[in-house]
């Protein structure tokens, strides 16, 4: 992520980021003095990109837009048709697409995972991937950057060489990880991936069903990818709670349950719930969440 931002940064340039999204992009943009602007994702349309908003905020200094698919923090998966529209919009604006696919292939809904790179002939694509999620080794912090650019634009503009120059002095992973990666990539069985998907599919369904039992929480859609779901707080039904931050602080204190306040991913009064835990722990956590909400519900006067 930092390599991508560093390579694209230049005076007066800006990059378009999704809201809600993964806030590290803002951190790296600030670090390298790259202006960032936000476009909204639409919960009523499965967290699709608001392409009209993208066109409205882009200008002659916009260098790229970032999409996260499968979605963190939304649990969304984009269709081929929507990705095609993103590519066409980026082409029209003359910008690159940075496709964060760290959760690539972790999908368990009706839509298959479609890599943004298949649209490289329409618009140049930077794809960010990682061994952390699909292979379940997050502590290794090892990822990759790939370009899809059959027209050779990135080479002509010198961006490909800039990537190599930035990577040159970068610290390498520990040698035991370097030795293990080829084995992991080449020899992990399909059974391993299928088992992971089955577990996440069941966890997503359980999470969605249990959340429907809590009136003060609205879940726009069942998660179809990644390991998260984003839900909306109905604060009008709760007392003594002003916003999502206070909700999460009291929840942690009273129930020893930690959720991520939506404000931290750019969406105030929403919550990000992670369901990539053992089923019994997930059921326990959702039960604690329900108890907390019931305890803080506004009391009706008969």
């Amino acid at each position: 992520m930092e390599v991508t931002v560093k390579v694209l940064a230049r005076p007066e340039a800006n990059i378009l980021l999704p809201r809600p999204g993964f806030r590290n992009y803002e951190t790296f943009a600030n670090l390298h003095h790259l202006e960032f602007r936000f476009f909204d994702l639409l919960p009523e349309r499965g967290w699709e990109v608001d392409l009209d908003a993208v066109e409205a905020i882009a200008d002659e200094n916009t260098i790229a837009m970032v999409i996260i698919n499968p979605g963190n923090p939304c649990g969304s998966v984009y269709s081929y048709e929507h990705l095609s529209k993103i590519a066409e919009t980026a082409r029209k604006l003359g910008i690159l697409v940075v496709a964060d696919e760290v959760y690539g292939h972790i999908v368990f809904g009706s839509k298959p995972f479609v890599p943004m790179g298949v649209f490289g002939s329409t618009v140049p694509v930077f794809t960010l991937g990682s061994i952390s999620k699909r292979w379940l080794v997050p502590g290794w912090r090892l990822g990759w950057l790939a370009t899809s650019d059959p027209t050779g634009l990135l080479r002509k503009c010198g961006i490909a060489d800039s990537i190599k120059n930035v990577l040159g002095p970068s610290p390498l992973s520990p040698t035991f990880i370097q030795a293990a990666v080829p084995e992991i990539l080449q020899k992990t069985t399909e059974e391993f991936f299928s088992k992971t998907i089955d577990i996440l599919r069941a966890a997503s369904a359980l999470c969605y069903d249990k959340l429907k039992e809590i009136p003060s929480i609205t879940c726009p859609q069942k998660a179809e990818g990644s390991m998260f779901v984003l839900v909306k707080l109905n604060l009008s039904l709760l007392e003594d709670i002003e916003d999502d931050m206070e909700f999460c602080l009291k929840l942690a204190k009273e129930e020893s349950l930690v959720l991520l306040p939506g404000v931290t991913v750019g969406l105030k009064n929403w919550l990000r719930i992670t369901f990539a835990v053992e089923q019994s722990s997930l059921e326990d956590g959702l039960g604690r969440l329900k108890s907390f909400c019931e305890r803080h519900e506004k009391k009706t006067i008969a």
Side-chain angles (χ1 to χ4, degrees):
M1 290 167 57
E2 184 176 8
V3 167
T4 300
V5 171
K6 187 174 183 179
V7 165
L8 295 178
R10 59 177 174 79
E12 300 185 357
N14 64 76
I15 189 169
L16 311 183
L17 303 178
R19 182 175 52 204
F22 190 53
R23 300 299 285 270
N24 281 20
Y25 285 100
E26 297 169 46
T27 302
F28 291 131
N30 278 323
L31 179 64
H32 296 288
H33 309 290
L34 178 62
E35 179 191 348
F36 51 87
R37 302 173 181 179
F38 294 106
F39 57 86
D40 288 329
L41 305 182
L42 305 173
E44 69 275 11
R45 288 169 46 183
W47 299 105
E48 288 186 346
V49 174
D50 184 343
L51 294 173
D52 291 335
V54 170
E55 295 194 37
I57 63 175
D59 61 20
E60 67 276 6
N61 292 318
T62 304
I63 188 69
M65 65 179 292
V66 174
I67 64 166
I68 304 175
N69 181 49
N72 176 11
C74 306
S76 55
V77 177
Y78 291 154
S79 66
Y80 181 97
E81 291 74 21
H82 186 58
L83 292 172
S84 178
K85 291 177 181 178
I86 291 173
E88 286 294 338
T89 300
R91 181 195 61 77
K92 182 166 67 172
L93 296 173
I95 63 177
L96 311 175
V97 175
V98 177
D100 184 324
E101 297 177 358
V102 167
Y103 289 90
H105 301 281
I106 302 180
V107 296
F108 34 82
S110 59
K111 294 189 287 287
F113 169 65
V114 179
M116 190 69 203
V118 303
F119 301 100
S121 58
T122 301
V123 62
V125 177
F126 280 19
T127 297
L128 310 185
S130 173
I131 200 171
S132 299
K133 312 304 180 186
R134 193 181 184 209
W135 285 268
L136 305 180
V137 284
W140 289 19
R141 316 299 297 174
L142 183 69
W144 54 82
L145 189 161
T147 61
S148 180
D149 179 37
T151 63
L153 180 63
L154 298 180
R155 291 191 299 275
K156 295 173 186 175
C157 295
I159 292 179
D161 287 336
S162 295
I163 294 172
K164 294 177 183 178
N165 292 337
V166 170
L167 286 173
S170 298
L172 297 174
S173 299
T175 52
F176 78 89
I177 292 179
Q178 294 182 49
V181 166
E183 289 278 314
I184 290 173
L185 294 180
Q186 295 169 12
K187 296 186 178 181
T188 301
T189 65
E190 192 58 40
E191 180 184 4
F192 173 85
F193 297 128
S194 297
K195 184 177 181 180
T196 301
I197 295 300
D198 289 343
I199 292 172
L200 289 173
R201 181 184 292 111
S204 173
L206 173 64
C207 192
Y208 182 71
D209 290 342
K210 292 295 184 181
L211 289 171
K212 287 192 294 185
E213 300 174 1
I214 307 175
S216 54
I217 291 178
T218 300
C219 185
Q221 69 166 30
K222 185 190 300 183
E224 296 187 323
S226 74
M227 303 173 179
F228 314 104
V229 65
L230 203 60
V231 300
K232 187 175 183 178
L233 274 177
N234 300 322
L235 291 173
S236 63
L237 301 179
L238 301 172
E239 59 184 7
D240 302 325
I241 294 178
E242 292 189 2
D243 55 26
D244 55 325
M245 186 66 75
E246 186 176 14
F247 180 96
C248 290
L249 288 172
K250 288 186 174 180
L251 178 66
K253 183 177 181 179
E254 296 178 24
E255 295 287 349
S256 297
L257 180 64
V258 178
L259 301 182
L260 190 68
V263 68
T264 64
V265 295
L267 211 54
K268 187 177 176 63
N269 294 332
W270 289 66
L271 307 168
R272 192 194 75 168
I273 298 174
T274 304
F275 50 80
V277 296
E278 186 182 6
Q279 181 173 334
S280 60
S281 297
L282 181 60
E283 290 177 344
D284 179 41
L286 292 169
R288 296 185 190 200
L289 178 60
K290 183 179 180 180
S291 296
F292 175 84
C293 291
E294 289 176 343
R295 197 161 57 248
H296 286 273
E297 280 182 358
K298 286 185 176 178
K299 307 302 186 289
T300 57
I301 301 176

